[in-house]
Amino acid sequence: MTKAYKEIMERVRLTEEMEQRVLMGALAAMESSASSRACGFRRWGALAACLVVMAAGALLLPGLWSQPVEPGPVTVTPQMVSAATQQELEELVGFPVETLTGLPFTPTQVEYTAYGEMAQVRYVGEEQTAVYRKAVSEEDISGDYTLYDHIWQVERDGVTLTLKGNEEGCALVLWKQGDFSCSLRFTPPVEETLAVDGAMGKE
């Protein structure tokens, strides 16, 4: 500083009110500067956090996309085809289908249906029905999953028949015929003798 400037500044005297104003102004300037720096830090901190999240996602997502998707269960429904005659049903399933002649009622209507390689013949009477099924199988092909109260077996002409029913009588007959599984379901149930005659009486 020059000598003249020093002499001028030495003659300057601030009142107490002026000193307070100068101090308040300096404090306000300092707070403003600190606030600006804090905002800047907050902005940069938020940006850095976003970058970290994006980087983590970039690392994880390819792994998730590359994970194999397990296939769900495949349900196969046999094709149902109606036949006009017994001969047509036999052509559809590829094996002979017997006519049941020992049923305990006189059918007024007979329906022939092929479920894939399983033959079904539904005999309809005035008050009763009987459903006969036949297929190359070792399993129960009746489709009847009722929990019957009574299950017993009967021998007839060297064939073992499994009968299922309740107090009303026999509702289901199951038996084997060579490589074939057969079933006969009665609605309503019938007496044991009538059920066995209906299953074994055929041509």
Side-chain angles (χ1 to χ4, degrees):
M1 296 181 184
T2 62
K3 183 177 180 180
Y5 179 80
K6 288 182 179 181
E7 290 177 353
I8 293 172
M9 292 304 297
E10 286 175 356
R11 296 174 183 174
V12 174
R13 295 289 183 268
L14 298 176
T15 64
E16 183 177 355
E17 183 181 357
M18 294 175 65
E19 290 180 352
Q20 290 293 332
R21 290 182 179 179
V22 172
L23 288 174
M24 292 296 293
L27 289 174
M30 292 173 61
E31 289 177 356
S32 176
S33 177
S35 176
S36 298
R37 287 196 299 269
C39 291
F41 289 146
R42 284 196 293 269
R43 287 196 296 269
W44 285 109
L47 180 58
C50 290
L51 291 175
V52 170
V53 172
M54 292 174 63
L59 292 174
L60 292 176
L61 286 177
L64 294 175
W65 289 333
S66 63
Q67 291 180 359
V69 178
E70 294 294 334
V74 177
T75 302
V76 178
T77 303
Q79 183 179 7
M80 181 184 71
V81 180
S82 297
T85 64
Q86 179 176 326
Q87 181 179 357
E88 184 179 340
L89 176 61
E90 292 177 340
E91 293 175 354
L92 289 171
V93 296
F95 54 78
V97 180
E98 300 79 12
T99 299
L100 301 186
T101 58
L103 295 174
F105 62 91
T106 301
T108 58
Q109 181 180 349
V110 181
E111 301 171 354
Y112 303 97
T113 308
Y115 291 90
E117 297 180 348
M118 181 184 72
Q120 173 179 294
V121 183
R122 184 170 181 264
Y123 298 90
V124 182
E126 292 183 359
E127 297 180 353
Q128 289 181 300
T129 61
V131 179
Y132 172 54
R133 286 184 169 185
K134 181 179 180 181
V136 178
S137 175
E138 296 290 334
E139 306 296 331
D140 176 357
I141 62 172
S142 67
D144 186 349
Y145 302 104
T146 304
L147 298 177
Y148 290 104
D149 296 331
H150 305 290
I151 300 176
W152 67 103
Q153 290 185 332
V154 174
E155 294 285 336
R156 172 73 68 88
D157 299 333
V159 179
T160 301
L161 299 99
T162 300
L163 284 70
K164 298 183 179 183
N166 46 39
E167 295 180 355
E168 297 179 6
C170 177
L172 182 64
V173 184
L174 306 172
W175 71 97
K176 290 284 295 179
Q177 182 179 321
D179 295 331
F180 297 95
S181 287
C182 303
S183 70
L184 180 60
R185 180 162 54 89
F186 292 96
T187 305
V190 298
E191 296 179 3
E192 175 185 311
T193 302
L194 297 178
V196 174
D197 289 344
M200 300 303 295
K202 50 183 175 290
E203 61 182 26

